[in-house]
Amino acid sequence: MLQGNNSNPTHNSNFSRYAFDFTMSTGDTVTSAQNGYVIGVIDGYHGWGNGDKWKSYANQIIIYDTITYLFTMYGHLKQNSSMVKVGDYVKIGHPIALSGQTGQAQEEHLHFNVLQADSVKGGLKSYRLDSIGNYKVKELKRYQLMTN
């Protein structure tokens, strides 16, 4: 794990507070963490860099689960690597894209964020998870090696 919850430099806003960055090589397959409908695909960007000016240039996929009402966002994906399109229904484990390094990214990684609707402010806010697979979130450490 490259960066965890509520941490600097980028996981400290309402939108990303409970996000995770997982170290992955460019071209590794990213799979869906939930069943749901693909509601967003951005995959045309190829650049990356440090600083806020790069935030808008990250390729990403967003999936919405109609049972939990949660969104999962997968970011910094490789250019033109999406394996899904808006409207597709995917199941857990379905390949959706290839990892990469686009947008505000100092190195190759997957930005993973679970989001919920924010009825007070409108838009979306980051949603706290208790665990990821067999790992308890509160026990995860930066640069910890995680396996399936």
Side-chain angles (χ1 to χ4, degrees):
M1 182 169 60
L2 183 61
Q3 185 180 350
N5 290 171
N6 201 26
S7 61
N8 291 324
T10 57
H11 296 175
N12 49 22
S13 70
N14 285 338
F15 185 76
S16 64
R17 187 164 322 283
Y18 303 114
F20 299 90
D21 286 346
F22 297 103
T23 300
M24 296 180 77
S25 297
T26 295
D28 286 347
T29 301
V30 176
T31 60
S32 179
Q34 72 177 11
N35 297 333
Y37 291 94
V38 177
I39 63 161
V41 174
I42 299 170
D43 77 344
Y45 295 121
H46 66 279
W48 62 271
N50 297 324
D52 288 347
K53 72 177 185 175
W54 289 97
K55 279 185 182 180
S56 300
Y57 299 102
N59 295 322
Q60 59 182 286
I61 292 176
I62 299 176
I63 297 172
Y64 177 66
D65 182 352
T66 59
I67 306 284
T68 64
Y69 305 111
L70 295 174
F71 302 81
T72 49
M73 191 269 271
Y74 310 80
H76 306 298
L77 303 171
K78 182 178 178 182
Q79 182 182 27
N80 300 322
S81 74
S82 176
M83 299 173 191
V84 294
K85 63 184 183 311
V86 171
D88 286 352
Y89 183 82
V90 296
K91 293 188 175 187
I92 294 171
H94 184 96
I96 58 172
L98 301 178
S99 63
Q101 182 178 1
T102 57
Q104 187 179 9
Q106 296 179 10
E107 58 188 274
E108 304 165 304
H109 71 280
L110 172 68
H111 177 84
F112 176 75
N113 198 3
V114 178
L115 301 153
Q116 68 181 34
D118 185 345
S119 58
V120 175
K121 295 184 179 182
L124 300 172
K125 65 180 177 181
S126 195
Y127 180 83
R128 183 190 305 250
L129 297 176
D130 293 328
S131 62
I132 296 177
N134 295 326
Y135 297 90
K136 296 290 182 196
V137 168
K138 64 183 175 184
E139 297 170 3
L140 293 174
K141 305 287 185 240
R142 190 175 195 134
Y143 302 118
Q144 177 178 347
L145 178 63
M146 300 174 70
T147 59
N148 295 358

